[in-house]
Amino acid sequence: MRFFRMLAVLVLSLASSVVGLSQSADGVTAKVDAIFANFDKPDSPGCALGVIKDGKLIYSRGYGKANLEHGIANGSKLVYDIGSTSKQFTAASILLLAQAGKLLLEDDVRKFIPELPVYPKPILIRHLIHHTSGLRDYLTLFNLAGVNFDDTTTESDALKIIQRQRALNFTPGDEWLYSNSGYFLLSFIVKRASGKSLPEFAKENIFDPLGMKHTLILDDHKRIVPMRVTGYSPKSGGFQTEMSNFEQTGDGAVLTSIEDLLLWDQNFYEPKVGGKALLDQMHAVGAFNDGKKHDYASGLFIEEYKGLRKVSHGGSWAGFRSDMARFPDQKFSVACLCNLGTVNPSAFALQVADLYLADQFKTTEVKASTLRGAPPKLP
C-alpha cells in the first residue's frame, strides 16, 4: 500500500513538472510572438522565425503573409531572399576550393580576374573575404551611374563598373570597408578556379551534401522558384511588391528557408561539409597590415553580445531583410527571414535571444556594433 502511495506521489510530481515546463515554454513563446505582433496580420507581410537549440528547431512560426495576393502565410518551409546573409556561403565556397588546392587565400585576385586594373599594391583573395580590399562598392557605383535598380543587371554589368575604377578607397589591408564588390568578385574566382558557376559549385558542394533541398543561388531572375516568398515595401494605404531582377551573385542571391538554415547551422557543430578545418577558417577574423584584428571573418561577424560569443550576419535587399545569429557556446541560434523591406530582423533576433538566454548572459552591457543589421544595400 505504501509502495502505491509513493508511486502516486511520484507520478503527480512528474506530471506537475511537465506542466510547469510546458507553461514555462508557453510563456517564452508568447513573449516571442509579441515581438512580431505588428506583423501577425492577414493584410501584412512579415517574417518567418526559427529558434534552434542543440541542433533542433525548438520553435518556428510565420508572422504575416508570404504573398498578399494569394493569402499565403509566412512559414519555416518557404523560400526567402536572404541578401547579404548569403556571403557566408560564398566564403565557404572559396575556402572549400582552397582546401582542394585550387587557390590560395594569398593569391593576387588578378590571377583569376586579369581584367581588373593593376593597382599599386595587389588585392589578395583574403582581402575580398574580409572587406579590406579598398574596392569601391559596385552597388553605390550603380546608384551614382543612374542605374534603375528595378532593371535587370548581370555579372558583366557589375564587372565593367568595377573595372572602370582606376583607384581604390585605400591600400589593400590598411582599412575595413564593407564592399559588395569584393564578394561579387569572389563569385568570379569560384567560376574560374572550379570551372563551375557559384550557383553550381555551392549546390554540389554545400547545399546537396547537407540536404538543403530548397536552397539555391539565383542567377536568372526569370527562373521559377518553388515556394518562393514575395518581397514588399510600404506604400500609401498598403504595400507594393519589391523583387530583385539582378543576376550577379556572390554578395547576395541565396534563396533559402528556415528549415534549410537549420541544416547549415548543424554543420557548424558536426560538419559534413569541410570538416573542422572549414569551421576554423570560417571563424578566423581578418587582420590589417599593422597586425591589428577586426571583427569580420568569412561572411560572418564575430562579436560578443552581453558577454556571450555571437556569430552572425544580416541581409538587406529589395523587399527582404534577414539575420542569422548563432551563440556557439550555448548551441543556440535564431534565424529571422522577413519579406518587408522596412523591418530590422537583426534586432528581432537579439530580442528573441534575450528571452531564451536570459539566465546565461554575463553582463547587460551591449556594444553598439552588435546592434547593427547588415550594412544596407541600395535601395
Side-chain angles (χ1 to χ4, degrees):
M1 191 72 177
R2 183 179 177 185
F3 169 78
F4 289 111
R5 191 177 297 117
M6 291 176 60
L7 183 60
V9 170
L10 178 61
V11 169
L12 287 172
S13 176
L14 288 172
S16 177
S17 298
V18 170
V19 170
L21 287 171
S22 175
Q23 289 174 345
S24 174
D26 289 345
V28 172
T29 55
K31 291 178 181 177
V32 169
D33 292 344
I35 294 171
F36 299 90
N38 288 339
F39 311 103
D40 197 14
K41 302 173 183 177
D43 59 351
S44 173
C47 302
L49 172 71
V51 181
I52 303 167
K53 174 64 177 164
D54 296 325
K56 292 181 172 38
L57 197 60
I58 62 171
Y59 188 61
S60 66
R61 198 184 150 188
Y63 305 91
K65 297 300 181 183
N67 184 282
L68 293 172
E69 292 171 311
H70 300 287
I72 299 169
N74 278 311
S76 62
K77 296 182 182 296
L78 301 185
V79 173
Y80 298 75
D81 185 329
I82 62 171
S84 289
T85 305
S86 308
K87 286 182 168 67
Q88 58 199 287
F89 296 104
T90 304
S93 297
I94 289 288
L95 295 177
L96 288 171
L97 285 169
Q99 282 186 1
K102 299 290 186 179
L103 56 81
L104 298 173
L105 299 187
E106 297 300 315
D107 281 339
D108 185 334
V109 170
R110 294 190 73 255
K111 176 180 177 180
F112 298 94
I113 316 176
E115 302 97 315
L116 291 176
V118 177
Y119 301 111
K121 184 176 178 180
I123 297 174
L124 308 181
I125 291 177
R126 64 175 170 84
H127 291 142
L128 301 184
I129 292 174
H130 295 141
H131 294 301
T132 56
S133 69
L135 286 165
R136 294 165 181 165
D137 188 274
Y138 82 89
L139 292 173
T140 303
L141 297 173
F142 272 175
N143 193 53
L144 292 172
V147 171
N148 184 340
F149 277 57
D150 289 334
D151 289 345
T152 301
T153 61
T154 66
E155 63 177 22
S156 176
D157 297 322
L159 182 60
K160 284 177 182 176
I161 204 163
I162 295 171
Q163 281 179 282
R164 292 202 290 267
Q165 309 306 306
R166 298 294 166 178
L168 301 173
N169 286 321
F170 49 80
T171 299
D174 273 3
E175 301 177 39
W176 189 92
L177 181 64
Y178 193 89
S179 174
N180 289 294
S181 295
Y183 269 77
F184 160 69
L185 291 178
L186 288 174
S187 74
F188 252 85
I189 293 173
V190 169
K191 180 189 292 187
R192 292 180 175 177
S194 71
K196 298 176 180 178
S197 69
L198 176 61
E200 292 170 331
F201 183 87
K203 182 180 188 304
E204 292 178 16
N205 294 277
I206 301 175
F207 305 148
D208 284 353
L210 294 180
M212 298 171 70
K213 297 179 180 179
H214 300 292
T215 301
L216 69 149
I217 298 178
L218 188 67
D219 60 355
D220 176 0
H221 77 283
K222 292 185 177 181
R223 178 175 175 176
I224 294 172
V225 179
M227 303 175 74
R228 178 163 32 164
V229 170
T230 302
Y232 296 94
S233 66
K235 186 179 181 180
S236 180
F239 303 94
Q240 63 184 13
T241 58
E242 292 287 350
M243 300 291 284
S244 175
N245 291 324
F246 280 22
E247 295 187 337
Q248 59 272 18
T249 66
D251 56 314
V254 170
L255 275 60
T256 190
S257 68
I258 292 289
E259 293 189 2
D260 273 14
L261 286 176
L262 166 67
L263 301 173
W264 175 240
D265 185 76
Q266 290 171 342
N267 196 66
F268 280 84
Y269 302 104
E270 297 179 3
K272 296 179 181 178
V273 169
K276 184 178 182 298
L278 178 69
L279 301 188
D280 291 343
Q281 285 186 296
M282 288 285 292
H283 292 100
V285 297
F288 298 113
N289 291 330
D290 62 7
K292 184 179 179 181
K293 294 184 177 182
H294 51 76
D295 62 4
Y296 200 88
S298 294
L300 297 168
F301 287 99
I302 312 296
E303 303 166 303
E304 278 197 359
Y305 178 72
K306 296 186 178 181
L308 303 183
R309 190 160 59 106
K310 180 171 80 77
V311 179
S312 66
H313 208 292
S316 171
W317 186 233
F320 294 92
R321 300 294 183 267
S322 67
D323 192 88
M324 186 163 188
R326 179 181 302 107
F327 294 82
D329 298 326
Q330 287 68 41
K331 290 190 175 181
F332 177 85
S333 301
V334 181
C336 185
L337 311 181
C338 303
N339 65 327
L340 179 58
T342 52
V343 303
N344 186 345
S346 301
F348 293 157
L350 291 180
Q351 290 177 55
V352 172
D354 284 343
L355 295 172
Y356 283 92
L357 301 178
D359 61 347
Q360 299 185 54
F361 292 127
K362 299 176 181 178
T363 177
T364 57
E365 182 181 351
V366 178
K367 295 180 180 179
S369 63
T370 63
L371 297 178
R372 67 187 160 207
K377 280 191 172 186
L378 298 167

